[in-house]
Amino acid sequence: MKIKQLTNEKLGETVFCARHSSGLEIRVMPKAGYSSAYAVFGVKYGSIDTAVKNDNGEFEMIPEGTAHFLEHKLFESEDLNAFERFAKTGASANAYTSFEKTAYLFKGSENIAESLEILLDFVQNPYFTQQTVEKEQGIIGQEIRMYQDLPDWQVMFNLLKALYASHPVRIDIAGTQESIAKIDADLLYRLYKNFYNPANMVLCVVGAIEPQEVFDIVDRCIKTADAKPAERKFEKESVKPVQDYIEEKLSVAQKQFLLGFKEDLSEPLISLEDEIASEIVLEALCGKSSPLFKRLLDEGLIDMGFGSEMFNGFGFSCVMIGGTSADPEKTSDIIKAEIRKAQTEGIDLAAFERAKRKFYGRYVMCYNDIDDTANMLMNLYFNDYEPFAELEACKKLTIEKVQERLNAIKEDSCALSVISPIS
């Protein structure tokens, strides 16, 4: 393997990158003085991947929730499951599925090489039977029902359903009761073969381990395969939301709301620069040091849980602002008025500088945490960026670029999601 070193002089950190013959990308950041290591084995396969190319080269729909279902099943084997194997090395293991990826991980302070071999082994050796699949359908069905009672979860997915007509981001990551009922062992094996190709994966290791040791373990453990990354289907959606208001009643003490502004996408992904610029817009406009936050708090319309997020990925991008509020409609009207004002008068320079410093500092601090660093390296790779790209993008941002992102927020593309107490 040809090893490339990328160093950030200000941080004093180096990432060692290599592409294995199987197509697997490897990124390693050794950390001097650290006693533990964190490894994440990521697959570019998440809940939005509800279409797969068949033998005729055409996209074929698959049940929602399969990525999450497959994540659960991969820990099983004919003998010891993966958790039992990690227990013998003293490592703490886990996995998660998001909209765009599935990640398998461990953290440990001893037997790190052995734990890494276990990680690479169990992810490459699926074992499914129809009996175990049917058992898992019951377990995941309970998980889906549990999340339907969580107001934070429901207010977000209700907003996504209001904003997006067909994009699978509108569907719960775990799928639905109806969709998971369609999953069987044969389908899981087929999807595993399509998505779990090393060329569609990345291994990131950070902490107390030498890069060459990681590369040697990969050479021993990774199976050869045709380097064929999976393809994603992009269908442009109208910038208009499906509906501008959605409400659900749950057992909550106070109303919760989420106001979302859908972005008009001509390409599947926005740039890293645009993503960070949007985060800076939100911090400047409605962060806890903003006049808007103070006004809403003084008027009793929000509490300290009020916040915002730039929510984006393959084929979707929107701004989200919300929290707990006695009057979500009034609060949303004030937020929209503040956005219109900033679009007309321009973002305050001092607020822009504060927000930019905050985000740059947050990215720098990320590299003190081996978990955050490994996940950052994985996310950057899956979005075609080199290590440390977020630092450079943030450092180069201008107020003109941030203003451009602010002006892209359109009031006629917004929707309001509200969770109300059961009367």
Side-chain angles (χ1 to χ4, degrees):
M1 284 183 282
K2 183 179 179 181
I3 300 170
K4 177 173 64 175
Q5 296 185 33
L6 296 172
T7 300
N8 184 287
E9 299 294 345
K10 289 188 176 180
L11 289 178
E13 301 283 10
T14 298
V15 179
F16 296 78
C17 306
R19 181 65 57 88
H20 188 255
S21 58
S22 64
L24 176 69
E25 175 75 8
I26 311 159
R27 295 185 169 186
V28 187
M29 180 186 283
K31 300 280 283 184
Y34 280 64
S35 59
S36 58
Y38 180 101
V40 58
F41 198 14
V43 190
K44 198 172 185 178
Y45 176 36
S47 67
I48 66 168
D49 294 301
T50 56
V52 63
K53 273 199 172 180
N54 58 28
D55 294 337
N56 297 324
E58 300 169 337
F59 279 106
E60 175 186 324
M61 298 306 294
I62 56 177
E64 293 134 352
T66 52
H68 175 259
F69 203 104
L70 194 49
E71 172 223 314
H72 276 229
K73 298 306 297 173
L74 272 186
F75 281 90
E76 297 179 2
S77 71
E78 290 187 81
D79 302 312
L80 292 176
N81 68 41
F83 289 115
E84 293 171 323
R85 295 173 68 186
F86 278 116
K88 293 184 176 183
T89 67
S92 173
N94 210 336
Y96 64 87
T97 303
S98 67
F99 293 103
E100 297 185 281
K101 62 182 174 291
T102 306
Y104 302 87
L105 57 98
F106 77 85
K107 187 175 184 177
S109 56
E110 55 186 6
N111 304 314
I112 294 168
E114 185 179 348
S115 294
L116 183 55
E117 291 181 3
I118 294 171
L119 177 67
L120 300 181
D121 179 66
F122 88 82
V123 173
Q124 291 185 95
N125 289 286
Y127 172 72
F128 317 126
T129 67
Q130 194 54 35
Q131 182 181 8
T132 60
V133 168
E134 290 172 2
K135 179 181 177 182
E136 198 67 40
Q137 285 168 335
I139 295 170
I140 293 179
Q142 290 178 334
E143 184 179 335
I144 291 170
R145 289 191 292 274
M146 178 188 73
Y147 275 99
Q148 288 172 344
D149 292 329
L150 297 179
D152 291 347
W153 194 255
Q154 286 302 105
V155 76
M156 182 183 75
F157 274 99
N158 286 347
L159 174 63
L160 293 173
K161 288 173 185 174
L163 290 174
Y164 292 93
S166 59
H167 194 290
V169 74
R170 67 197 302 275
I171 305 298
D172 191 300
I173 289 171
T176 66
Q177 298 281 358
E178 294 75 22
S179 69
I180 65 169
K182 300 173 185 176
I183 296 173
D184 58 28
D186 288 341
L187 176 64
L188 291 180
Y189 276 118
R190 179 185 163 206
L191 296 177
Y192 177 90
K193 182 180 179 182
N194 183 79
F195 290 106
Y196 282 69
N197 184 303
N200 204 47
M201 304 173 76
V202 64
L203 174 67
C204 300
V205 188
V206 180
I209 193 165
E210 290 301 316
Q212 191 58 54
E213 186 174 14
V214 174
F215 299 138
D216 289 344
I217 291 170
V218 169
D219 260 340
R220 289 199 308 271
C221 298
I222 290 294
K223 298 176 181 178
T224 57
D226 294 332
K228 186 182 177 183
E231 294 183 49
R232 277 184 168 148
K233 185 179 182 181
F234 172 62
E235 290 184 358
K236 181 175 169 57
E237 277 216 0
S238 167
V239 71
K240 298 290 185 183
V242 178
Q243 59 196 93
D244 57 17
Y245 183 82
I246 185 169
E247 184 175 357
E248 182 179 357
K249 293 186 181 294
L250 290 175
S251 296
V252 293
Q254 289 182 291
K255 289 184 177 182
Q256 293 190 27
F257 81 99
L258 206 53
L259 178 65
F261 297 83
K262 184 180 183 180
E263 183 168 356
D264 189 12
L265 293 180
S266 57
E267 298 291 334
L269 289 167
I270 67 170
S271 68
L272 181 61
E273 180 186 30
D274 282 349
E275 179 182 345
I276 297 172
S278 294
E279 292 284 9
I280 288 173
V281 165
L282 293 173
E283 177 64 26
L285 279 183
C286 52
K288 289 184 168 55
S289 61
S290 67
L292 174 64
F293 182 86
K294 184 178 186 305
R295 176 189 170 184
L296 293 173
L297 198 63
D298 289 346
E299 293 184 19
L301 290 171
I302 61 167
D303 59 20
M304 294 301 292
F306 178 78
S308 60
E309 176 186 2
M310 180 59 196
F311 179 79
N312 63 287
F314 189 92
F316 64 94
S317 180
C318 61
V319 163
M320 294 181 174
I321 306 169
T324 298
S325 178
D327 192 338
E329 290 87 349
K330 181 179 179 181
T331 305
S332 296
D333 287 342
I334 294 171
I335 293 168
K336 287 187 278 189
E338 186 69 16
I339 291 172
R340 290 194 300 269
K341 178 184 176 183
Q343 288 174 335
T344 301
E345 299 178 2
I347 290 181
D348 178 72
L349 180 59
F352 160 72
E353 293 290 354
R354 281 197 305 271
K356 182 177 175 178
R357 286 195 298 270
K358 177 178 178 177
F359 275 90
Y360 189 82
R362 182 180 294 176
Y363 293 136
V364 168
M365 290 299 295
C366 162
Y367 289 95
N368 290 328
D369 187 288
I370 58 175
D371 309 39
D372 289 345
T373 304
N375 281 289
M376 172 72 81
L377 292 174
M378 173 177 61
N379 292 336
L380 287 170
Y381 173 71
F382 280 152
N383 287 288
D384 297 322
Y385 289 103
E386 296 278 23
F388 311 116
E390 78 290 354
L391 290 169
E392 292 305 307
C394 187
K395 185 170 65 175
K396 292 177 181 178
L397 272 182
T398 63
I399 193 168
E400 290 78 16
K401 179 62 177 178
V402 172
Q403 186 71 41
E404 176 188 311
R405 291 300 292 168
L406 169 62
N407 294 340
I409 299 175
K410 305 298 183 183
E411 199 166 314
D412 59 359
S413 69
C414 77
L416 175 62
S417 172
V418 176
I419 298 293
S420 297
I422 298 172
S423 55

